Structures are given as C-alpha cells and as structure tokens.
Amino acid sequence: MKKKIYNKLVKHAAQRAGYFCLIDPDRFDVNTTVEMAVSCAENGADALLIGGSLMIHDNFEKSLKMIRRAVDIPVLIFPGVFNFVSKHADALLLLSMVSSRNPQMLIGEQVRAAPLIRSYNIEVIGTGYMVIDSGKLTSVQYMSHSIPIPRNKPDIAVAHALAAQYLGMRLIYMDAGSGADQPMTAEMIKAVRDAVEVPIIVGGGIRTPEAAVELAQAGADFIVTGTVLEDEQDTSLVRQFADAIHGITR
Ligand code: 1GP
C-alpha cells in the first residue's frame, strides 16, 4: 500500500501543527473552486481536503483534476458522508464514522468504494471519523443518521479514538461538523491527544486563528477550516490561519 502522503503528514505533525483548507466543490463553479484552492496553497495551507456532504452539481471530478494540476500541495479526498472515489487526488481519507452506529457509515460505504480504490491505485488512509456535538444539528449528523459524541464527554471521545487506533486506523478526524456554531473543546482534544499516538485532525466551527491556536495547543495535529473561508472569501485570512497554526511547534 502507498504511504507517501501519510508519511509526510506524520513527519509534519512531529514538527509543528498543520493547516488544511476544506473546499466543497459543490458550493461554487469549477473556476472559483480552483481559484480558492490556488489561493489556499499560495497562502500557507499544508494540504487541501476536497469534499462535502451532498453532491448537487457534477463538479467533483472536474474540480479535483484541475485543482491537482494547479497546486503543489497534497490534494486529499474527504468523502464526507458518501464516498467519492477519484484517481485525481494524492490520497483519499477512507473515513469510518466510528462515532456512528449506522453500519452503512461504519463499513457499508467503504465496501462500496474499495474495488474502485484498488483499481485507481490511489493512496488510501484509513481514518477514524468522530462527530462531536456542537449544540445544533449539522449536515453530517442528519445525513448519516448518527448521534454525535456529547461535547462535554471527553472520556467517550477517548474510548472511540482508542478503538479506532486499535482497529488499525492511521488518523483520527474529530469533527464538530461543517458550519458548527462552536468548535469542540480544547479539553476533549487534550484527552484524546493523551490517549492515542496517531495524528489527529480537528475541524468544525473554527472561525478565527485564535480558536485554531487554542485547539492546536491542546494537541490537534491538523486544523481544518471550510465555512469561514467560503463566507469571508479573504485570502489574507488563509495566511493568518496558516501563520498562527504553524507557530505551534512540537
Ligand atoms: C467539516 O471539519 C470541517 O467537516 C470544517 O468545518 O466548515 O465549520 O470549517 P467548517
């Protein structure tokens, strides 16, 4: 199995916190999506996550192909709820929603995607995906028919992250959900960080560099922002996030 991108992420995490920009190709036309991707890459993002919870337009494949040609940072598929497999990416985060008890989200979608992943020979990173409650219903909760982990229960988050690591998953993604009212607590991230060795990605509801720094200091290896970049359309904001997050060294 290919491991190039994964090894790069592990190496990065050993040195400093990292920054991923999430881009949903469904939100904008292809040219705008590619412009956003280029701007993220030029302003310090360490990788791009491409994906979303719905697919309304037929933009995914085309956007991915053009983004990959236009940037020199890793382009990772973030399948959201449903698997989008494509060969036009550097790696695919194969999410198993370990916080869910819906078998389709735990293994069903992955089985559907596996033969295509094999035929594309794309790097795949098995990722334990944990959805954390943020106080309001998010798309990922609704679409996946899943109850999130309560935000004030770090011990439950720890148990899920440990189970994912023991099952061999190589990343943990803790997500408060896209557009969440508030990010998860630093306390929860710290508890998970103390328990597991694999890199931790944290996203959902992070709208300021200060919030990102707090979560990176608590132990998040990679911070993800999506909605705030879509809302603000401000390239200097990407730079502010990247500089603030990269300031957290290990
Ligand atoms: C969602 O973690 C990501 O899956 C990013 O969330 O859109 O709230 O930044 P936001």
Side-chain angles (χ1 to χ4, degrees), residues 22 78 129 173-180 202-206 224-228:
L22 171 63
F78 171 60
Y129 184 59
Y173 191 138
M174 300 171 69
D175 196 351
S178 195
V202 170
I206 300 169
V224 183
T225 64
T227 305
V228 71

Side-chain angles (χ1 to χ4, degrees), residues 73-154:
I73 57 174
V75 177
L76 312 179
I77 297 175
F78 171 60
V81 176
F82 303 103
N83 284 316
F84 304 145
V85 183
S86 167
K87 57 186 160 203
H88 302 297
D90 296 295
L92 182 146
L93 302 186
L94 188 63
L95 308 179
S96 176
M97 194 186 286
V98 293
S99 58
S100 179
R101 297 299 177 268
N102 174 353
Q104 197 61 23
M105 295 297 119
L106 283 159
I107 187 64
E109 292 295 325
Q110 298 78 352
V111 169
R112 262 176 12 118
L116 204 50
I117 291 172
R118 184 187 189 201
S119 76
Y120 286 162
N121 194 26
I122 184 175
E123 177 171 341
V124 57
I125 307 175
T127 302
Y129 184 59
M130 298 165 41
V131 179
I132 316 296
D133 188 30
S134 66
K136 79 167 186 190
L137 184 65
T138 58
S139 304
V140 67
Q141 291 166 30
Y142 179 79
M143 294 299 289
S144 65
H145 301 232
S146 302
I147 300 172
I149 294 173
R151 66 181 271 108
N152 59 348
K153 299 283 183 193

